[in-house]
Amino acid sequence: MQKATINVLETDDLKKSFKAKAKGKSRIVEAVRGVSLSVQKGEVFGFLGPNGAGKTTTLRMLTTLLPIDAGKAVVAGYDLKKQPKEVRRHIGYVGQLGGSDLEATGRENLILAGRLYGMNKYDAENRSKELLDALDLNEIADRIANTYSGGQKRRLEVALGMINQPDVLFLDEPTTGLDPQNRANMWDQIRKLQNSGTTIFLTTHYLEEADALAGRLAIMDKGLIVAEGTPRELKQQISDDVILLKLSDDKLEITKNILSRLDFVRETRIEGGGLYLYVEDGTKALPRIFETLENNDIKLETVSLSQPSLDDVFLKQTGRLLRDSKNEN
């Protein structure tokens, strides 16, 4: 018998608008135009969106930092509109800018955070010890936080977000600015948190991060959810194979126009100095592509054949590349 899934976060038609001025005239900007989603207990849920999509506004509403204009949301079993204080008691939030006191030690940061949540000294100290151990911070626990590396600071900030044993931990771009080694380490820490039963709501601008960590994810654009599912399900929506051709730069547009006329080429795009072709069956398509290039005296430098990636999904859904999008204001 299959176990029923338990949702720890649900939204229904969530909306948020702002007043904006342009050229002396006021107008209403609909930042979030009706977001409905659900997050299951114990999963890592990825939340993606390009600049201006409404992703950050949605996150701020879910963490009680912005009031809701319309719609409903339940977080950790509490109504976001009616019970914001209870929601705050049951969530953790790690923002992009962090929130640690850099002049205090890591241990002092954690104990203070615990006391602010109403713990007595004994419980705050014990919980701090648990987190220092869980996030590999024991060796630096009594050093001033200002001396920590970027990866160590991020782990401390995640520990601060976990101090109250939240039902849902919101991580907003947790690996931004980290080098590859520290990013991989943070991925390991996030997996450990999930294995311990923590539900994680993750926003990221790294598609490989969402692919590696998220069991399910949602892509937001222009205030709406445009795609939702597991990474595998979203990739399967693009049923095509992807062929990447590298040619001389002055031949890219010409080649695109020629190959787009072939009946088996469903879509083409030029990006990063390469020509991408989306075809139903790459192995059957390649011989005809080679023949067409030869007949038109177009010399091929390199060619690769692959399955669709989250990059392809994101581009198809939003018309933009996530790695070219910068964080929202």
Side-chain angles (χ1 to χ4, degrees):
M1 186 175 178
Q2 192 174 11
K3 290 183 179 179
T5 58
I6 300 173
N7 292 330
V8 295
L9 187 155
E10 291 185 78
T11 72
D12 181 21
D13 203 25
L14 210 60
K15 296 179 182 179
K16 184 67 181 178
S17 299
F18 298 99
K19 286 185 179 179
K21 282 190 175 181
K23 297 180 180 179
K25 294 183 179 180
S26 295
R27 63 188 182 94
I28 300 296
V29 176
E30 293 180 294
V32 178
R33 298 192 291 135
V35 166
S36 299
L37 53 82
S38 63
V39 178
Q40 297 169 9
K41 183 176 176 60
E43 76 172 332
V44 176
F45 186 86
F47 196 49
L48 312 177
N51 181 42
K55 172 175 62 74
T56 296
T57 301
T58 302
L59 180 67
R60 287 174 178 167
M61 284 192 285
L62 294 177
T63 54
T64 75
L65 298 175
L66 276 178
I68 297 171
D69 285 353
K72 292 171 59 179
V74 175
V75 181
Y78 297 96
D79 187 293
L80 196 59
K81 273 186 176 180
K82 299 176 181 177
Q83 301 166 291
K85 288 183 180 179
E86 287 301 322
V87 170
R88 284 193 286 272
R89 287 179 185 274
H90 291 83
I91 66 171
Y93 173 64
V94 181
Q96 294 180 39
L97 300 178
S100 58
D101 180 357
L102 298 180
E103 301 305 316
T105 69
R107 193 185 307 275
E108 288 168 343
N109 267 278
L110 289 168
I111 292 172
L112 175 61
R115 296 302 299 266
L116 290 173
Y117 268 102
M119 297 180 192
N120 60 44
K121 185 179 179 182
Y122 177 80
D123 289 342
E125 288 177 350
N126 280 345
R127 179 60 178 157
S128 298
K129 287 177 184 176
E130 289 175 6
L131 291 169
L132 290 168
D133 183 57
L135 289 159
D136 296 331
L137 291 167
N138 270 319
E139 291 186 6
I140 59 171
D142 296 307
R143 274 174 38 194
I144 300 298
N146 201 31
T147 67
Y148 289 10
S149 68
Q152 290 167 341
K153 285 177 184 174
R154 269 325 243 169
R155 296 208 305 276
L156 174 60
E157 287 154 5
V158 170
L160 288 168
M162 290 289 297
I163 194 71
N164 61 324
Q165 297 181 296
D167 294 313
V168 187
L169 176 62
F170 292 88
L171 297 179
D172 191 10
E173 309 284 351
T175 64
T176 296
L178 298 186
D179 59 40
Q181 182 177 352
N182 278 313
R183 181 172 297 145
N185 182 278
M186 181 59 71
W187 288 10
D188 288 340
Q189 304 303 331
I190 291 171
R191 291 187 183 104
K192 285 181 183 178
L193 292 174
Q194 182 192 19
N195 290 337
S196 71
T198 304
T199 303
I200 297 169
F201 191 99
L202 171 75
T203 73
T204 179
H205 268 74
Y206 300 110
L207 285 170
E208 71 276 14
E209 186 163 274
D211 207 353
L213 295 174
R216 292 189 307 124
L217 54 87
I219 297 174
M220 189 173 188
D221 192 34
K222 298 176 182 176
L224 296 168
I225 301 296
V226 295
E228 185 177 355
T230 68
R232 181 182 177 86
E233 288 169 348
L234 293 179
K235 292 173 192 175
Q236 287 176 339
Q237 290 177 11
I238 302 177
S239 59
D240 309 327
D241 288 334
V242 184
I243 296 173
L244 170 59
L245 305 177
K246 290 286 186 178
L247 312 154
S248 60
D249 290 343
D250 61 346
K251 294 280 188 178
L252 282 174
E253 283 291 348
I254 295 171
T255 307
K256 178 183 176 183
N257 291 334
I258 292 171
L259 295 180
S260 63
R261 299 189 196 114
L262 298 175
D263 57 5
F264 57 84
V265 175
R266 296 183 175 182
E267 193 175 338
T268 62
R269 68 178 169 94
I270 294 172
E271 192 251 313
L275 174 60
Y276 289 80
L277 308 175
Y278 294 86
V279 300
E280 184 175 351
D281 189 330
T283 55
K284 290 182 180 179
L286 280 173
R288 289 186 61 187
I289 290 170
F290 293 152
E291 181 184 4
T292 304
L293 294 177
E294 185 176 354
N295 290 341
N296 287 275
D297 196 28
I298 297 172
K299 293 182 180 180
L300 180 65
E301 292 181 3
T302 62
V303 61
S304 65
L305 172 64
S306 64
Q307 297 295 311
S309 67
L310 281 182
D311 281 289
D312 300 303
V313 174
F314 195 88
L315 181 70
K316 188 175 183 68
Q317 295 291 350
T318 70
R320 287 174 278 180
L321 293 167
L322 186 58
R323 62 178 174 269
D324 294 334
S325 298
K326 295 183 179 179
N327 295 344
E328 298 167 50
N329 294 325

